[in-house]
Amino acid sequence: MVTRDHGGNLDAARAEYGGSGWIDLSTGINRRPYPVPALPADAWTALPTATAQGALIDAAAEAFGAAPETVLPLAGAQAAIQLYPRCAAPGDARVLTPTYNEHAAALSAQGWTVTPVEGLRGLAGADLAVVVNPNNPDGRSWSPEALVALSRKVGLLVVDESFADPHPELSVADQAGERLVVLRSFGKFYGLAGVRLGFLLGAPAMVARLRELAGPWSVSGPALSIGTTALGDTAWQSATTERLADDAARLDWMAARAGWVLVGGTALFRTYATPDATRAQDHLARRAIWTRRFPYSGTWLRLGLPDGAEWGRVEKALSEWRPV
């Protein structure tokens, strides 16, 4: 049985600590979301049309530098994770770890034999290999050249780029094809996780097969409309990427003052080595700030980036941390 635990479990925090006014930093979701435009009435009242889906596919293809026929919109990157294990007969799957645990869980559920490995070299020879780039939670990243080279040494390489929007130099979405599948999230960078929109990119024949498995209307009308607009808003994307980079440096400075050491991260989250992750999480939770710790580390604590007035509360909480 693969252990499945996640951030975003704010109900558990409320149940244990009570209180209100929580700041949820347990995920890597941008806390200043894209301003949702007014939606046409038929986005709500009519079944999603092929025209609306085509507009979203074109916008995504332009944003990712990919061909439209390689793009499959789905109800979140999680839907893509549930779907790609069905693109081939089960065999030897290897997942670069530590990483997002749903990859191993989804592969195991479809009959794959899953082996965790710690370096790219250990993935060579697998029937299917998974790399999250940049990685969650430690922020490790690999160059497009290294990943394309790896794709030639495995049956199929799946690259999860859920946190790649503010790091476009890492993306291999434009090279998705027969032996390289790329997953993209929408909700994290755009701060609209509730829209439930993501993408799988791969060879056109594979995309066509997986589209059939996903079934009709796999993306809602509102998601089609919002995604099409946001993916084309390059001014917002540039300004947000710059802001997130500044915010990541700001949080690193606060954590360093508390004596926490940066393990790594992206422009959407930071992971720190603390003296005791359980005690550090508890310290922040008692101040209604929820964070993410990991079952495989007694010291790692991951924080998303605050926004607006949240910064003052986070800075105060970190300033009050005292090592034992």
Side-chain angles (χ1 to χ4, degrees):
M1 176 77 65
V2 177
T3 300
R4 303 172 82 158
D5 60 313
H6 303 280
N9 55 340
L10 196 56
D11 285 345
R14 292 191 181 106
E16 182 171 354
Y17 294 95
S20 59
W22 281 85
I23 301 172
D24 187 4
L25 302 184
S26 68
T27 72
I29 297 169
N30 179 6
R31 291 185 62 79
R32 190 184 302 180
Y34 184 79
V36 175
L39 301 182
D42 61 1
W44 299 102
T45 60
L47 287 172
T49 65
T51 298
Q53 179 164 287
L56 175 63
I57 288 173
D58 287 345
E62 178 69 21
F64 304 148
E69 59 270 21
T70 67
V71 179
L72 174 61
L74 294 162
Q78 184 61 45
I81 291 172
Q82 300 297 128
L83 195 59
Y84 77 72
R86 302 172 66 184
C87 69
D92 168 30
R94 302 179 200 174
V95 180
L96 195 65
T97 57
T99 197
Y100 184 49
N101 54 45
E102 284 293 336
H103 287 285
L107 286 161
S108 294
Q110 293 299 323
W112 291 83
T113 300
V114 180
T115 303
V117 301
E118 295 183 353
L120 286 188
R121 290 184 179 180
L123 299 173
D127 297 318
L128 185 151
V130 180
V131 177
V132 178
N133 191 46
N135 191 45
N136 171 25
D138 59 17
R140 288 180 297 166
S141 63
W142 296 268
S143 70
E145 293 77 14
L147 294 176
V148 170
L150 176 63
S151 72
R152 303 187 185 106
K153 302 175 184 177
V154 299
L156 181 68
L157 176 62
V158 177
V159 180
D160 183 342
E161 296 186 348
S162 288
F163 292 98
D165 289 83
H167 307 281
E169 72 282 357
L170 298 176
S171 180
V172 291
D174 61 338
Q175 301 186 64
E178 290 291 339
R179 301 177 72 170
L180 178 59
V181 167
V182 177
L183 313 183
R184 296 290 296 230
S185 170
F186 176 81
K188 293 179 176 63
F189 178 68
Y190 292 93
L192 296 171
V195 168
R196 305 312 304 139
L197 178 61
F199 302 90
L200 180 148
L201 294 89
M206 179 190 299
V207 165
R209 291 197 307 273
L210 294 180
R211 181 180 290 112
E212 290 296 317
L213 290 174
W217 314 302
S218 60
V219 177
S220 72
L224 292 173
S225 182
I226 293 168
T228 300
T229 300
L231 286 166
D233 194 340
T234 57
W236 185 91
Q237 293 159 16
S238 296
T240 298
T241 297
E242 184 176 351
R243 174 181 61 81
L244 290 171
D246 291 342
D247 286 352
R250 182 179 181 183
L251 187 59
D252 288 348
W253 175 80
M254 292 179 183
R257 287 206 309 168
W260 297 358
V261 178
L262 179 68
V263 173
T266 73
L268 287 163
F269 66 82
R270 314 302 284 169
T271 299
Y272 303 105
T274 72
D276 182 329
T278 299
R279 194 169 74 84
Q281 185 183 56
D282 178 76
H283 170 84
L284 293 174
R286 293 185 184 280
R287 293 153 177 83
I289 300 167
W290 193 230
T291 57
R292 175 84 159 89
R293 57 188 176 90
F294 302 92
Y296 48 79
S297 174
T299 62
W300 286 12
L301 193 71
R302 192 191 69 192
L303 283 72
L305 304 183
D307 188 52
E310 297 171 351
W311 280 105
R313 285 177 54 190
V314 172
E315 182 172 13
K316 184 175 186 295
L318 288 172
S319 72
E320 293 169 346
W321 166 263
R322 297 291 182 270
V324 175

